[in-house]
């Protein structure tokens, strides 16, 4: 069944395809919105020949769409990265990692010259933090990191049973109201045992494509 949310996601994904006309190798993220983007790639064979993928799940879909999946280390250059988000602010700061692929997503975002984020309008927020902030941690440091997050006022919940593509665990931190995303990202990155913080503020999206019921807004 196709929902209104799916239509909005598909609209944003289609708009991203228009921006990748000249890119032969792109980065591709993870999630249901990105799946619509990969579907759009499959419908336009040859538009993108090669991609770096942020997850095993997206790699499978990309290959099925006829796109060659490369290791980032094989590239000296990455023009464009397309990915979704769990929350996005007007400053194009993001919370990501709902699908657990945040570490590879952050690496690809850092490598890409342009980061295009595709979301439906339910993801737009004034202040980040209603969506629990995913933090990938080294398994043996899980409770150590959790205690420090609690001391900072967060309520970390272990995403039990979930192991990332990198063999790590995820803590989803509830109860944050993120007034200064850049500062919080930097602070959380200092906690020993933290692999990746799902805040994308130090390196925000460059373009936000927001699918609505009527159109696609560009921020
Ligand atoms: C995965 C992500 C996704 O981009 C985020 O969870 C959004 O997913 P969806 O497009 O399914 O709403 O960060 O780690």
């Amino acid at each position: 069944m196709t929902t209104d949310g799916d239509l909005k996601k598909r609209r944003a994904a289609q708009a991203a395809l228009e921006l990748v006309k000249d890119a032969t190798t792109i980065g591709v993220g993870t999630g249901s919105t990105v799946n619509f983007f990969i579907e759009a790639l499959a419908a336009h064979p040859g538009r993108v020949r090669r991609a770096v993928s942020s997850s095993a799940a997206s790699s499978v879909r990309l290959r099925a769409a006829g796109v060659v999946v490369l290791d980032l280390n094989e590239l000296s250059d990455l023009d464009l990265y397309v990915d979704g988000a769990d929350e996005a602010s007007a400053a194009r700061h993001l919370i990501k990692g709902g699908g657990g692929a945040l570490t590879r997503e952050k690496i690809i975002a850092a490598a890409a010259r342009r980061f295009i984020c595709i979301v439906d309008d339910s993801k737009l927020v004034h202040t980040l933090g209603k969506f629990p902030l995913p933090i990938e941690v080294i398994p043996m440091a899980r409770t150590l990191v959790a205690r420090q997050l609690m001391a900072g006022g967060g309520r970390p919940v272990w995403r039990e049973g979930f192991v990332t593509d990198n063999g790590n665990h995820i803590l989803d931190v509830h109860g944050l109201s993120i007034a200064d995303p850049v500062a919080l990202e930097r602070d959380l990155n200092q906690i020993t045992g933290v692999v990746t913080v799902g805040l994308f503020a130090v390196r925000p999206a460059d373009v936000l494509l927001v699918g609505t019921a009527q159109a696609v807004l560009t921020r």
Side-chain angles (χ1 to χ4, degrees):
M1 196 182 74
T2 304
T3 64
D4 285 355
D6 286 345
L7 289 175
K8 295 174 183 180
K9 289 176 180 186
R10 195 188 297 272
R11 201 166 264 153
Q14 195 66 42
L17 188 70
E18 298 304 314
L19 300 181
V20 296
K21 270 189 182 132
D22 302 326
T24 51
T25 306
I26 66 169
V28 177
T30 300
S32 57
T33 316
V34 164
N35 289 346
F36 287 124
F37 176 70
I38 297 174
E39 239 179 66
L41 289 180
H44 293 80
R47 172 77 61 93
V48 166
R49 295 188 193 287
R50 309 182 311 167
V52 176
S53 164
S54 77
S55 65
S58 287
S59 297
V60 169
R61 287 174 183 269
L62 283 163
R63 289 193 186 102
V67 177
V68 175
V69 177
L70 300 176
D71 184 314
L72 183 62
N73 292 304
E74 296 175 65
L75 302 174
S76 55
D77 200 35
L78 189 63
D79 182 38
L80 199 81
Y81 175 43
V82 178
D83 199 358
D86 300 299
E87 274 187 357
S89 73
R92 297 188 298 274
H93 295 151
L94 313 171
I95 287 185
K96 290 184 48 52
L102 61 163
T103 295
R104 295 183 186 194
E105 291 173 346
K106 207 168 242 197
I107 292 168
I108 300 176
R113 266 194 299 279
R114 269 188 311 157
F115 175 10
I116 295 170
C117 183
I118 49 177
V119 292
D120 65 89
D121 55 6
S122 71
K123 308 285 184 67
L124 286 182
V125 295
H126 184 259
T127 306
L128 296 173
K130 195 163 180 201
F131 190 92
L133 177 65
I135 299 187
E136 181 165 345
V137 298
I138 298 290
M140 74 170 285
R142 193 184 68 243
T143 60
L144 173 71
V145 174
R147 281 195 295 276
Q148 296 194 48
L149 292 168
M150 283 190 281
R155 277 185 290 109
V157 175
W158 176 23
R159 205 182 289 182
E160 223 170 329
F162 183 86
V163 177
T164 70
D165 284 350
N166 314 302
N168 296 318
H169 290 176
I170 299 241
L171 294 170
D172 292 303
V173 189
H174 297 247
L176 298 173
S177 175
I178 305 175
D180 187 342
V182 172
L184 184 66
E185 183 179 348
R186 291 206 164 112
D187 286 354
L188 294 175
N189 274 328
Q190 298 309 311
I191 300 176
T192 302
V194 165
V195 176
T196 302
V197 178
L199 258 179
F200 285 56
V202 173
R203 198 279 183 249
D206 299 304
V207 178
L208 195 57
L209 296 174
V210 185
T212 73
Q214 295 80 29
V216 177
L217 310 175
T218 302
R219 295 273 171 93

